[in-house]
């Protein structure tokens, strides 16, 4: 079986453990250089990620969005690993709560008054908002409760 005929084996791992794993048709992530799509047979590479909503498409056409803080993606021989400080399935995110918390922290972070812990929290919230908004666009209904 040629590399292009095999599904991608994907694993999203965050500091707190495994977020999602399985076989997929494609992966879309946002790197420091921009968005990149990965399909079967993709060239090996590594890249740094920014907070975003990563998208995976399974064999049955289902789309899943995963909030990803900064981190790294590695692609080799149809194996994709996403390592991040934070990861969460978009359907588990309360988009309204994430937006409120993000707005409350925005000025402090933008004015460089936030400490390292606050910046990490801000980036996690930013990833949640981006993933939640992407999930809402795909499904037509809000995420979380």
């Amino acid at each position: 079986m040629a590399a292009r005929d095999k599904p991608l084996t994907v694993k999203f791992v965050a500091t707190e453990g495994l977020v999602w794993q399985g076989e997929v048709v494609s992966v879309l992530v946002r790197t420091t250089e921009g968005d990149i799509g990965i399909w079967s047979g993709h060239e090996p590479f590594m890249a740094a990620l920014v907070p975003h909503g990563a998208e995976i498409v399974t064999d049955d056409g289902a789309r899943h969005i995963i909030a990803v803080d900064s981190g790294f993606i590695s692609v080799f021989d149809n194996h994709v690993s996403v390592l991040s400080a934070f990861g969460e399935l978009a359907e588990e995110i309360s988009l309204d709560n994430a937006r409120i918390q993000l707005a409350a922290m925005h000025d402090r972070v933008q004015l460089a008054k936030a400490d390292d812990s606050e910046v990490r929290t801000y980036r996690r919230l930013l990833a949640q908002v981006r993933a939640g908004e992407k999930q809402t666009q795909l499904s037509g209904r809000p995420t979380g409760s």
Side-chain angles (χ1 to χ4, degrees):
M1 178 181 277
R4 292 196 183 280
D5 298 333
K6 294 172 24 182
L8 294 169
T9 302
V10 177
K11 188 181 285 189
F12 281 79
V13 180
T15 305
E16 295 181 2
L18 183 65
V19 177
W20 192 93
Q21 76 176 9
E23 291 186 344
V24 302
V25 173
S26 66
V27 177
L28 177 64
V29 295
R30 179 162 293 161
T31 72
T32 56
E33 302 296 316
D35 290 348
I36 185 163
I38 297 125
W39 285 266
S40 184
H42 197 285
E43 290 294 317
F45 86 104
M46 291 183 75
L49 301 172
V50 298
H52 71 288
E55 181 177 342
I56 53 177
V57 179
T58 59
D59 203 21
D60 62 0
R63 291 180 174 200
H64 301 279
I65 308 299
I66 302 169
V68 176
D69 191 347
S70 59
F72 298 93
I73 182 169
S74 168
V75 178
F76 181 77
D77 193 28
N78 282 343
H79 293 277
V80 179
S81 297
V82 176
L83 305 173
S84 179
F86 169 80
E88 183 176 12
L89 294 172
E91 62 235 21
E92 298 173 358
I93 295 169
S94 170
L95 183 53
D96 289 339
N97 288 342
R99 283 178 174 154
I100 290 166
Q101 292 177 47
L102 184 67
M105 297 185 77
H106 180 77
D107 288 344
R108 188 164 171 76
V109 171
Q110 294 302 311
L111 296 171
K113 293 182 178 181
D115 63 26
D116 288 346
S117 176
E118 291 170 315
V119 171
R120 281 192 301 275
T121 298
Y122 182 84
R123 291 171 60 139
R124 176 184 53 82
L125 290 166
L126 183 59
Q128 287 179 317
V129 167
R130 289 178 175 166
E133 289 174 346
K134 194 172 194 178
Q135 181 71 36
T136 299
Q137 289 173 349
L138 287 177
S139 68
R141 61 183 185 275
T143 59
S145 53

